[in-house]
PDB file of all heavy atoms in Angstrom:
ATOM      1  N   ALA E  56      13.167   1.840  25.016  1.00 98.00           N
ATOM      2  CA  ALA E  56      14.256   1.473  25.926  1.00 98.00           C
ATOM      3  C   ALA E  56      15.462   2.395  25.767  1.00 98.00           C
ATOM      4  O   ALA E  56      16.217   2.572  26.727  1.00 98.00           O
ATOM      5  CB  ALA E  56      14.678   0.028  25.714  1.00 98.00           C
ATOM      6  N   ARG E  57      15.643   2.968  24.590  1.00 98.00           N
ATOM      7  CA  ARG E  57      16.840   3.771  24.344  1.00 98.00           C
ATOM      8  C   ARG E  57      16.549   4.807  23.251  1.00 98.00           C
ATOM      9  O   ARG E  57      15.550   4.707  22.532  1.00 98.00           O
ATOM     10  CB  ARG E  57      17.991   2.876  23.892  1.00 98.00           C
ATOM     11  CG  ARG E  57      17.738   2.167  22.572  1.00 98.00           C
ATOM     12  CD  ARG E  57      18.816   1.165  22.255  1.00 98.00           C
ATOM     13  NE  ARG E  57      18.884   0.114  23.241  1.00 98.00           N
ATOM     14  CZ  ARG E  57      18.093  -0.975  23.215  1.00 98.00           C
ATOM     15  NH1 ARG E  57      17.192  -1.123  22.251  1.00 98.00           N
ATOM     16  NH2 ARG E  57      18.201  -1.892  24.130  1.00 98.00           N
ATOM     17  N   ALA E  58      17.443   5.767  23.140  1.00 98.00           N
ATOM     18  CA  ALA E  58      17.350   6.747  22.055  1.00 98.00           C
ATOM     19  C   ALA E  58      17.871   6.112  20.777  1.00 98.00           C
ATOM     20  O   ALA E  58      18.893   5.432  20.783  1.00 98.00           O
ATOM     21  CB  ALA E  58      18.162   7.984  22.396  1.00 98.00           C
ATOM     22  N   ASP E  59      17.149   6.314  19.690  1.00 98.00           N
ATOM     23  CA  ASP E  59      17.580   5.816  18.392  1.00 98.00           C
ATOM     24  C   ASP E  59      16.793   6.561  17.313  1.00 98.00           C
ATOM     25  O   ASP E  59      15.874   7.330  17.623  1.00 98.00           O
ATOM     26  CB  ASP E  59      17.385   4.297  18.268  1.00 98.00           C
ATOM     27  CG  ASP E  59      15.961   3.844  18.547  1.00 98.00           C
ATOM     28  OD1 ASP E  59      15.019   4.634  18.313  1.00 98.00           O
ATOM     29  OD2 ASP E  59      15.775   2.706  19.001  1.00 98.00           O
ATOM     30  N   PRO E  60      17.143   6.391  16.047  1.00 97.00           N
ATOM     31  CA  PRO E  60      16.447   7.125  14.978  1.00 97.00           C
ATOM     32  C   PRO E  60      14.942   6.851  14.941  1.00 97.00           C
ATOM     33  O   PRO E  60      14.163   7.738  14.581  1.00 97.00           O
ATOM     34  CB  PRO E  60      17.145   6.640  13.712  1.00 97.00           C
ATOM     35  CG  PRO E  60      18.516   6.263  14.161  1.00 97.00           C
ATOM     36  CD  PRO E  60      18.339   5.678  15.522  1.00 97.00           C
ATOM     37  N   ALA E  61      14.535   5.627  15.299  1.00 97.00           N
ATOM     38  CA  ALA E  61      13.099   5.308  15.289  1.00 97.00           C
ATOM     39  C   ALA E  61      12.355   6.150  16.325  1.00 97.00           C
ATOM     40  O   ALA E  61      11.240   6.631  16.073  1.00 97.00           O
ATOM     41  CB  ALA E  61      12.891   3.818  15.552  1.00 97.00           C
ATOM     42  N   LEU E  62      12.955   6.329  17.486  1.00 98.00           N
ATOM     43  CA  LEU E  62      12.330   7.175  18.505  1.00 98.00           C
ATOM     44  C   LEU E  62      12.331   8.626  18.066  1.00 98.00           C
ATOM     45  O   LEU E  62      11.349   9.349  18.282  1.00 98.00           O
ATOM     46  CB  LEU E  62      13.058   7.014  19.839  1.00 98.00           C
ATOM     47  CG  LEU E  62      12.468   7.809  21.004  1.00 98.00           C
ATOM     48  CD1 LEU E  62      11.071   7.325  21.340  1.00 98.00           C
ATOM     49  CD2 LEU E  62      13.377   7.721  22.234  1.00 98.00           C
ATOM     50  N   ASP E  63      13.396   9.070  17.435  1.00 97.00           N
ATOM     51  CA  ASP E  63      13.442  10.441  16.921  1.00 97.00           C
ATOM     52  C   ASP E  63      12.285  10.690  15.956  1.00 97.00           C
ATOM     53  O   ASP E  63      11.625  11.743  16.025  1.00 97.00           O
ATOM     54  CB  ASP E  63      14.775  10.694  16.190  1.00 97.00           C
ATOM     55  CG  ASP E  63      15.959  10.787  17.142  1.00 97.00           C
ATOM     56  OD1 ASP E  63      15.751  11.026  18.341  1.00 97.00           O
ATOM     57  OD2 ASP E  63      17.092  10.602  16.663  1.00 97.00           O
ATOM     58  N   ARG E  64      12.038   9.745  15.058  1.00 97.00           N
ATOM     59  CA  ARG E  64      10.948   9.924  14.097  1.00 97.00           C
ATOM     60  C   ARG E  64       9.603   9.993  14.808  1.00 97.00           C
ATOM     61  O   ARG E  64       8.744  10.806  14.464  1.00 97.00           O
ATOM     62  CB  ARG E  64      10.944   8.778  13.077  1.00 97.00           C
ATOM     63  CG  ARG E  64       9.769   8.881  12.095  1.00 97.00           C
ATOM     64  CD  ARG E  64       9.891   7.931  10.924  1.00 97.00           C
ATOM     65  NE  ARG E  64       9.826   6.538  11.339  1.00 97.00           N
ATOM     66  CZ  ARG E  64       9.720   5.523  10.484  1.00 97.00           C
ATOM     67  NH1 ARG E  64       9.700   5.759   9.175  1.00 97.00           N
ATOM     68  NH2 ARG E  64       9.673   4.285  10.916  1.00 97.00           N
ATOM     69  N   LEU E  65       9.419   9.136  15.819  1.00 97.00           N
ATOM     70  CA  LEU E  65       8.174   9.136  16.576  1.00 97.00           C
ATOM     71  C   LEU E  65       7.937  10.494  17.223  1.00 97.00           C
ATOM     72  O   LEU E  65       6.837  11.059  17.139  1.00 97.00           O
ATOM     73  CB  LEU E  65       8.219   8.043  17.643  1.00 97.00           C
ATOM     74  CG  LEU E  65       6.963   7.913  18.514  1.00 97.00           C
ATOM     75  CD1 LEU E  65       5.901   7.127  17.770  1.00 97.00           C
ATOM     76  CD2 LEU E  65       7.291   7.245  19.840  1.00 97.00           C
ATOM     77  N   LEU E  66       8.960  11.032  17.873  1.00 97.00           N
ATOM     78  CA  LEU E  66       8.812  12.303  18.567  1.00 97.00           C
ATOM     79  C   LEU E  66       8.591  13.452  17.582  1.00 97.00           C
ATOM     80  O   LEU E  66       7.859  14.389  17.884  1.00 97.00           O
ATOM     81  CB  LEU E  66      10.047  12.560  19.437  1.00 97.00           C
ATOM     82  CG  LEU E  66      10.266  11.547  20.567  1.00 97.00           C
ATOM     83  CD1 LEU E  66      11.559  11.851  21.330  1.00 97.00           C
ATOM     84  CD2 LEU E  66       9.084  11.510  21.518  1.00 97.00           C
ATOM     85  N   ASP E  67       9.176  13.361  16.409  1.00 96.00           N
ATOM     86  CA  ASP E  67       8.927  14.364  15.380  1.00 96.00           C
ATOM     87  C   ASP E  67       7.480  14.295  14.888  1.00 96.00           C
ATOM     88  O   ASP E  67       6.840  15.326  14.645  1.00 96.00           O
ATOM     89  CB  ASP E  67       9.878  14.177  14.204  1.00 96.00           C
ATOM     90  CG  ASP E  67      11.306  14.606  14.523  1.00 96.00           C
ATOM     91  OD1 ASP E  67      11.498  15.321  15.523  1.00 96.00           O
ATOM     92  OD2 ASP E  67      12.227  14.207  13.784  1.00 96.00           O
ATOM     93  N   LEU E  68       6.957  13.075  14.741  1.00 96.00           N
ATOM     94  CA  LEU E  68       5.605  12.883  14.235  1.00 96.00           C
ATOM     95  C   LEU E  68       4.550  13.508  15.150  1.00 96.00           C
ATOM     96  O   LEU E  68       3.558  14.045  14.687  1.00 96.00           O
ATOM     97  CB  LEU E  68       5.293  11.399  14.079  1.00 96.00           C
ATOM     98  CG  LEU E  68       5.633  10.720  12.760  1.00 96.00           C
ATOM     99  CD1 LEU E  68       5.409   9.221  12.867  1.00 96.00           C
ATOM    100  CD2 LEU E  68       4.798  11.308  11.625  1.00 96.00           C
ATOM    101  N   ARG E  69       4.774  13.426  16.448  1.00 94.00           N
ATOM    102  CA  ARG E  69       3.718  13.849  17.369  1.00 94.00           C
ATOM    103  C   ARG E  69       3.496  15.358  17.316  1.00 94.00           C
ATOM    104  O   ARG E  69       2.392  15.819  17.631  1.00 94.00           O
ATOM    105  CB  ARG E  69       4.035  13.400  18.789  1.00 94.00           C
ATOM    106  CG  ARG E  69       5.067  14.221  19.513  1.00 94.00           C
ATOM    107  CD  ARG E  69       5.413  13.625  20.862  1.00 94.00           C
ATOM    108  NE  ARG E  69       6.307  14.491  21.612  1.00 94.00           N
ATOM    109  CZ  ARG E  69       5.920  15.298  22.582  1.00 94.00           C
ATOM    110  NH1 ARG E  69       4.634  15.371  22.916  1.00 94.00           N
ATOM    111  NH2 ARG E  69       6.793  16.055  23.220  1.00 94.00           N
ATOM    112  N   ALA E  70       4.522  16.107  16.941  1.00 91.00           N
ATOM    113  CA  ALA E  70       4.373  17.560  16.760  1.00 91.00           C
ATOM    114  C   ALA E  70       3.657  18.209  17.937  1.00 91.00           C
ATOM    115  O   ALA E  70       2.731  19.004  17.767  1.00 91.00           O
ATOM    116  CB  ALA E  70       3.623  17.851  15.455  1.00 91.00           C
ATOM    117  N   GLY E  71       4.062  17.845  19.140  1.00 93.00           N
ATOM    118  CA  GLY E  71       3.513  18.486  20.328  1.00 93.00           C
ATOM    119  C   GLY E  71       2.320  17.812  20.952  1.00 93.00           C
ATOM    120  O   GLY E  71       1.902  18.195  22.052  1.00 93.00           O
ATOM    121  N   LEU E  72       1.733  16.814  20.307  1.00 97.00           N
ATOM    122  CA  LEU E  72       0.591  16.130  20.892  1.00 97.00           C
ATOM    123  C   LEU E  72       1.050  15.212  22.030  1.00 97.00           C
ATOM    124  O   LEU E  72       2.172  14.718  22.025  1.00 97.00           O
ATOM    125  CB  LEU E  72      -0.147  15.309  19.827  1.00 97.00           C
ATOM    126  CG  LEU E  72      -0.919  16.115  18.787  1.00 97.00           C
ATOM    127  CD1 LEU E  72      -1.538  15.194  17.750  1.00 97.00           C
ATOM    128  CD2 LEU E  72      -2.014  16.947  19.453  1.00 97.00           C
ATOM    129  N   PRO E  73       0.177  14.962  23.014  1.00 98.00           N
ATOM    130  CA  PRO E  73       0.560  14.114  24.141  1.00 98.00           C
ATOM    131  C   PRO E  73       0.877  12.684  23.691  1.00 98.00           C
ATOM    132  O   PRO E  73       0.190  12.122  22.832  1.00 98.00           O
ATOM    133  CB  PRO E  73      -0.676  14.129  25.046  1.00 98.00           C
ATOM    134  CG  PRO E  73      -1.460  15.319  24.621  1.00 98.00           C
ATOM    135  CD  PRO E  73      -1.197  15.506  23.169  1.00 98.00           C
ATOM    136  N   LEU E  74       1.895  12.101  24.301  1.00 98.00           N
ATOM    137  CA  LEU E  74       2.338  10.762  23.951  1.00 98.00           C
ATOM    138  C   LEU E  74       2.730  10.016  25.220  1.00 98.00           C
ATOM    139  O   LEU E  74       3.400  10.575  26.089  1.00 98.00           O
ATOM    140  CB  LEU E  74       3.545  10.835  23.013  1.00 98.00           C
ATOM    141  CG  LEU E  74       4.280   9.532  22.683  1.00 98.00           C
ATOM    142  CD1 LEU E  74       3.382   8.567  21.908  1.00 98.00           C
ATOM    143  CD2 LEU E  74       5.564   9.825  21.896  1.00 98.00           C
ATOM    144  N   ALA E  75       2.300   8.760  25.322  1.00 98.00           N
ATOM    145  CA  ALA E  75       2.696   7.906  26.437  1.00 98.00           C
ATOM    146  C   ALA E  75       3.646   6.840  25.916  1.00 98.00           C
ATOM    147  O   ALA E  75       3.286   6.053  25.036  1.00 98.00           O
ATOM    148  CB  ALA E  75       1.463   7.252  27.075  1.00 98.00           C
ATOM    149  N   LEU E  76       4.848   6.827  26.455  1.00 98.00           N
ATOM    150  CA  LEU E  76       5.841   5.827  26.082  1.00 98.00           C
ATOM    151  C   LEU E  76       5.806   4.690  27.096  1.00 98.00           C
ATOM    152  O   LEU E  76       6.054   4.914  28.295  1.00 98.00           O
ATOM    153  CB  LEU E  76       7.249   6.431  26.073  1.00 98.00           C
ATOM    154  CG  LEU E  76       7.576   7.456  24.984  1.00 98.00           C
ATOM    155  CD1 LEU E  76       8.974   8.026  25.229  1.00 98.00           C
ATOM    156  CD2 LEU E  76       7.492   6.838  23.608  1.00 98.00           C
ATOM    157  N   ALA E  77       5.510   3.494  26.631  1.00 98.00           N
ATOM    158  CA  ALA E  77       5.568   2.311  27.493  1.00 98.00           C
ATOM    159  C   ALA E  77       7.000   1.796  27.453  1.00 98.00           C
ATOM    160  O   ALA E  77       7.446   1.239  26.457  1.00 98.00           O
ATOM    161  CB  ALA E  77       4.587   1.243  27.017  1.00 98.00           C
ATOM    162  N   VAL E  78       7.733   2.018  28.543  1.00 98.00           N
ATOM    163  CA  VAL E  78       9.171   1.755  28.610  1.00 98.00           C
ATOM    164  C   VAL E  78       9.450   0.446  29.343  1.00 98.00           C
ATOM    165  O   VAL E  78       8.853   0.174  30.394  1.00 98.00           O
ATOM    166  CB  VAL E  78       9.892   2.921  29.316  1.00 98.00           C
ATOM    167  CG1 VAL E  78      11.367   2.614  29.492  1.00 98.00           C
ATOM    168  CG2 VAL E  78       9.709   4.217  28.518  1.00 98.00           C
TER     169      VAL E  78
END
Side-chain angles (χ1 to χ4, degrees):
R57 63 187 62 84
D59 55 28
L62 182 64
D63 289 340
R64 177 169 65 170
L65 181 80
L66 297 177
D67 287 344
L68 271 173
R69 78 186 186 101
L72 289 177
L74 172 65
L76 291 175
V78 175

